[in-house]
Amino acid sequence: MNQFSTTRPPTASRGGRSIRRPLQGGVHRLGMNRNALPEIAQNGRFGIPVNEAAEAPESAVSRRCRKAGVVAPRAIAFRTLPALGRSTKLFGQVFGIIVPLCCILVVSASGSPRTLSDRKLFAKGRTFSEVCAAAARAKAQLIVSQQWSVTTAVCHANVWFTRTGSITYRGGVVLSGLVDGTLDTHYIREAGGTLSISDKNSTLYLSWWGAVADGTDESSKFQAALDTAHTNGGRRISISYRPSCYLAQNLEFYSNTTIFSDTQATCVKKPDGGGLYQMFRNNSAAPVSNVHFRNFTIDGNRGKQPGVTGDSGLYGIYFAGASDSSIERMVIKNAYTDGVVIGCSGRDLDHMMEAGTNVQILQSLITNSRRNNVSVACGMGTKIRDSELSYANGTAPEAGVDVEPDYEGQHVGGFQIVDTEVHHNAANGVLLQPKAEHDLTMSVLNVNSHDNGAMGLYAVDFGGAGDLRVSGGVFGNNRGVAGIGLAGWARSAVSGESVYGSLRGILLSANNPHAWLGPSVVSGTLYDLSVDGPRITAILYGVWLAHGVVQSGGENCIPYFPELPELKIGCI
């Protein structure tokens, strides 16, 4: 028997009468074979096989349901199957009416917003304020598809811009509702006015100000977006991907701003011959907080800056006195000077002393800077984690990261570099040069610093009172005088390291009165360990010196006894 049979269901005799038995599952009077029911149940809803049903086009009511977040199945368009009879067709028609009707009731109860287009009102000569007022009274979302020229206006309705909609504002415009629109469209044009967007959750899109990455300098469009974010108390600014780089420079950012893209391939590039300008910076007299750069590329275009002399300016990102800010999943490359600078703020540009706190560089690649990839001149608790610093070259210091205050009193304590690869920089990989600072601590943890032109780590405390911890890293094939070089630290601890491929494995220079070398594997092509200078005492515990070769110069040095598990070596 076919799945949809015209044969009548089986009957039974009861008291001389023929009784029609209902089919399994409560389905009856459809002329179906009972044995086919399990298969039918698997095929589709209402006993209709998938290949026998077609989804009806979405109606206006269903579309309204979906936009309101009410999940309701669309009406099923039943094919006319003679075997199913008129009752099934009628059921499909009734179902197609009931479901949208229920949806209307649910949508009405949920208070789903209506929409109101500005097109007809625009044609009638209404002002933007009048159109907004009409939408607000109707509790409707205003769909802006026309080009409005506005002097001053306050709009309390939620606003959605289509690709053709725009506002040119010459005075003060306040959008107090939700603001959104079609992405990658230019719909807010500035003509010397100010724009206020009251909703704190609104994301600003750079394309709203007309930035399209067309090869022209779009700095003014970037700055308009940054200024709008600032006047509204801070916002997220999204940079849409384009196949070409946006050209921009000298962009001032403010507190409570996040600049991001959906893909790291989105690029902002310094124009050719752009002058001595940082690409992104804050006002050095106005320290910032809660500023974040996320997931795009900054290209300093160092090879096309003719006529530029000196090393000031031309940074990728310059933080002056920043706190609680971050650079995350970024690529910063080809800076003429430094990829990232973390410095002090202050009104005296020649002697800025106000340090920020807690700036982090996370999961980022900073490479091919002409001076340093990262310079930390001033800032407490700076952290670099899960990043790569490579190929700094051009002019000294040429380090992967250089922690070096410009003046006495600029603080850099609490610096950490963790789980980071530092390689192929022209000079030192990690360069630490703090000045006199109270309670100074620094940490180099699980760092792989290799193939640099000088030392993998060179740490000199010029104040002579700091604590340094180096743990769990690899320092290999660095071409300087040592893989690790330490000088001037009141207390230093090195453990869990693998050091190889340099002239000396570890070099302890002058003024290391309490150096502790814990379990490590240390090898140098000339000396595994070199103790070279006055006022050094090193305690070695469980250190494996590959060649057993130690240099300790001068007559006042403690001898080395390789057979002891713990020993002292040093020079008075």
Side-chain angles (χ1 to χ4, degrees), residues 27-354:
V27 181
H28 59 93
R29 298 185 184 275
L30 295 180
M32 297 181 183
N33 186 343
R34 177 186 307 184
N35 296 328
L37 283 174
E39 181 181 355
I40 293 173
Q42 295 172 6
N43 280 334
R45 293 182 180 179
F46 316 111
I48 305 301
V50 173
N51 62 358
E52 296 293 348
E55 190 177 38
E58 186 179 30
S59 66
V61 172
S62 297
R63 191 159 51 247
R64 182 180 173 191
C65 292
R66 174 173 53 77
K67 289 184 177 180
V70 178
V71 179
R74 300 177 188 175
I76 301 297
F78 286 82
R79 289 185 178 180
T80 303
L81 299 174
L84 295 181
R86 298 171 63 184
S87 60
T88 302
K89 183 177 180 181
L90 177 61
F91 174 74
Q93 293 171 346
V94 172
F95 182 81
I97 295 172
I98 291 176
V99 169
L101 180 60
C102 293
C103 182
I104 290 173
L105 295 175
V106 173
V107 170
S108 299
S110 66
S112 173
R114 298 172 52 198
T115 60
L116 177 66
S117 173
D118 67 340
R119 186 177 298 274
K120 292 182 178 179
L121 298 175
F122 178 82
K124 293 179 180 179
R126 299 286 185 88
T127 66
F128 183 72
S129 294
E130 290 171 339
V131 171
C132 284
R137 285 194 300 271
K139 297 183 179 179
Q141 183 184 49
L142 178 62
I143 306 300
V144 178
S145 58
Q146 306 300 305
Q147 297 181 1
W148 294 90
S149 179
V150 177
T151 301
T152 59
V154 177
C155 185
H156 296 300
N158 296 336
V159 179
W160 177 279
F161 287 84
T162 69
R163 289 188 180 277
T164 58
S166 68
I167 296 177
T168 300
Y169 51 97
R170 294 179 173 80
V173 172
V174 177
L175 303 179
S176 64
L178 296 173
V179 180
D180 211 333
T182 307
L183 299 184
D184 297 337
T185 186
H186 174 194
Y187 71 64
I188 297 177
R189 298 181 175 90
E190 184 179 16
T194 59
L195 175 68
S196 297
I197 299 176
S198 301
D199 179 55
K200 296 294 184 183
N201 296 318
S202 293
T203 294
L204 308 182
Y205 293 88
L206 182 63
S207 59
W208 293 359
W209 283 268
V212 294
D214 60 359
T216 62
D217 189 335
E218 298 184 292
S219 301
S220 61
K221 300 169 185 177
F222 268 83
Q223 194 60 57
L226 290 164
D227 291 344
T228 300
H230 176 52
T231 58
N232 287 277
R235 285 294 189 278
R236 289 163 49 87
I237 299 175
S238 175
I239 307 175
S240 300
Y241 170 74
R242 291 286 187 271
S244 301
C245 291
Y246 297 90
L247 299 183
Q249 63 182 340
N250 200 29
L251 303 174
E252 183 176 354
F253 55 83
Y254 310 91
S255 293
N256 304 312
T257 301
T258 298
I259 306 169
F260 72 99
S261 179
D262 291 335
T263 171
Q264 207 173 66
T266 300
C267 170
V268 181
K269 186 176 182 180
K270 194 176 192 304
D272 294 356
L276 284 169
Y277 296 123
Q278 300 97 336
M279 292 191 65
F280 290 91
R281 62 175 180 83
N282 65 287
N283 187 332
S284 57
V288 296
S289 63
N290 193 30
V291 176
H292 306 282
F293 293 85
R294 290 179 179 161
N295 206 48
F296 65 98
T297 295
I298 296 175
D299 187 344
N301 196 18
R302 59 176 279 188
K304 295 185 178 180
Q305 306 300 321
V308 174
T309 59
D311 297 326
S312 297
L314 292 156
Y315 308 126
I317 299 175
Y318 187 95
F319 280 123
S323 296
D324 301 321
S325 299
S326 67
I327 296 168
E328 185 173 2
R329 299 189 305 277
M330 293 288 293
V331 175
I332 303 174
K333 62 184 182 180
N334 306 327
Y336 185 85
T337 311
D338 299 338
V340 175
V341 176
I342 300 170
C344 281
S345 62
R347 296 191 177 278
D348 182 358
L349 297 181
D350 294 324
H351 204 68
M352 294 184 292
M353 305 297 291
E354 299 174 22

Side-chain angles (χ1 to χ4, degrees), residues 403 431-435 440 458-463 468 485-489:
V403 183
L431 178 60
L432 309 180
Q433 303 182 86
K435 299 187 182 341
L440 173 69
Y458 184 39
V460 182
D461 180 6
F462 290 101
L468 174 66
L486 308 179
W489 295 90

